[in-house]
Amino acid sequence: MFFIESATFKPPLTDLHHILKQYWGFDAFRPQQQDIIEAVMEGKDALALMPTGGGKSLCYQVPALAQEGICIVISPLIALIKDQVEALRKKGVLALAIYSGMSRRQIAQTLKNAAYGDYKFLYVSPERLETSLFLEFLPALQVNLVAVDEAHCISQWGYDFRPSYLRIAALREELHDVPFLALTASATPVVQKDICEKLLLRTPQIFQQPFARPNLSYSVLRAEAKQAKLVQVVSKVPGTAIV
């Protein structure tokens, strides 16, 4: 016996701007967001490189809400997973999470809810994808998109950092026609290539926003007395400083 949380989520809305306005209160997408959303809704794999705070999460949350089924979001950070789930719930969108530390009963309950409830998002740490329990329930999930957050974990710090990231591509065997969207705020051209290869992205569309921030400037100063120079610089800049 299990319990399914009732949903406040309404039937899928095909108007992307309607969804954006209803759940986030924005009138327009940021540059490239809509292009990414439309690409994955057309069933295409994609890699999105966007600076921190650039709105990466909207690129998978909006298309997931616009279609039938549930979006699997793979994220390496439990704190980030919990924050995302809580933020979605506050908007009236039901989301679930599976991560290390949960009991087998809790995981089974969560997967049952994902399979038979009105949930739109299932957040999973990469290590949980390999468990027999997850693989048992996967065929029952009506997955409309797989989003791989922090995709640079595949190679940026070496393959030993999160080896489970290398095995995400195994989901392809179960989810043949489901598009994959990889997202990161940090990836050199070499890492971009590695992400596409290790995730087995099929002719991926690559979207990249500029990382330059108009409100930031960068300076390199050679100073004999560093503390004095620091005080001089900070005293001339209004507001709070981080050293």
Side-chain angles (χ1 to χ4, degrees):
M1 182 177 181
F2 59 92
F3 301 93
I4 297 176
E5 188 173 352
S6 61
T8 56
F9 175 73
K10 307 210 172 23
L13 301 167
T14 55
D15 186 338
L16 300 180
H17 287 87
H18 185 175
I19 294 173
L20 182 69
K21 181 68 175 180
Q22 178 175 346
Y23 292 100
W24 285 273
F26 300 139
D27 294 316
F29 289 101
R30 293 182 183 180
Q32 294 196 331
Q33 281 182 327
Q34 187 166 344
D35 293 333
I36 297 168
I37 291 167
E38 291 177 349
V40 297
M41 288 186 67
E42 292 171 3
K44 300 174 182 176
D45 289 345
L47 169 60
L49 295 100
M50 305 170 73
T52 301
K56 290 191 294 296
S57 59
L58 277 180
C59 294
Y60 62 81
Q61 290 173 342
V62 171
L65 291 174
Q67 303 176 95
E68 295 287 349
I70 192 168
C71 173
I72 294 178
V73 186
I74 302 166
S75 176
L77 305 172
I78 294 176
L80 180 59
I81 288 175
K82 290 181 176 179
D83 285 348
Q84 291 274 9
V85 169
E86 181 62 25
L88 285 167
R89 284 172 174 257
K90 287 181 178 178
K91 298 180 189 300
V93 178
L94 293 185
L96 298 160
I98 298 174
Y99 44 82
S100 59
M102 294 175 65
S103 68
R104 182 178 177 83
R105 171 181 272 185
Q106 288 174 318
I107 294 173
Q109 174 68 63
T110 299
L111 289 169
K112 287 175 183 176
N113 286 343
Y116 306 114
D118 295 325
Y119 293 85
K120 297 302 296 179
F121 298 93
L122 174 60
Y123 284 77
V124 187
S125 60
E127 290 79 9
R128 298 299 98 191
L129 297 175
E130 303 176 271
T131 64
S132 58
L133 195 56
F134 181 85
L135 296 174
E136 177 185 338
F137 277 91
L138 183 58
L141 303 179
Q142 186 184 349
V143 181
N144 58 30
L145 175 64
V146 174
V148 184
D149 204 6
E150 309 295 339
H152 55 268
C153 290
I154 287 175
S155 70
Q156 183 164 334
W157 295 299
Y159 299 131
D160 292 335
F161 176 66
R162 292 297 283 263
S164 293
Y165 261 81
L166 293 174
R167 296 188 282 276
I168 292 173
L171 284 176
R172 286 285 192 196
E173 297 177 11
E174 298 287 342
L175 307 173
H176 302 285
D177 300 322
V178 177
F180 274 51
L181 172 61
L183 306 114
T184 179
S186 175
T188 63
V190 172
V191 173
Q192 294 175 37
K193 183 174 182 290
D194 217 13
I195 291 171
C196 294
E197 290 178 350
K198 297 301 185 298
L199 288 178
L200 301 180
L201 300 186
R202 300 166 296 196
T203 318
Q205 298 210 2
I206 299 178
F207 302 88
Q208 183 167 1
Q209 285 188 1
F211 287 82
R213 301 295 183 97
N215 60 324
L216 297 179
S217 65
Y218 301 86
S219 303
V220 178
L221 306 174
R222 297 183 181 276
E224 294 289 336
K226 295 180 181 179
Q227 294 291 343
K229 188 64 177 178
L230 176 62
V231 171
Q232 180 187 2
V233 171
V234 171
S235 64
K236 293 181 179 180
V237 178
T240 303
I242 299 175
V243 180

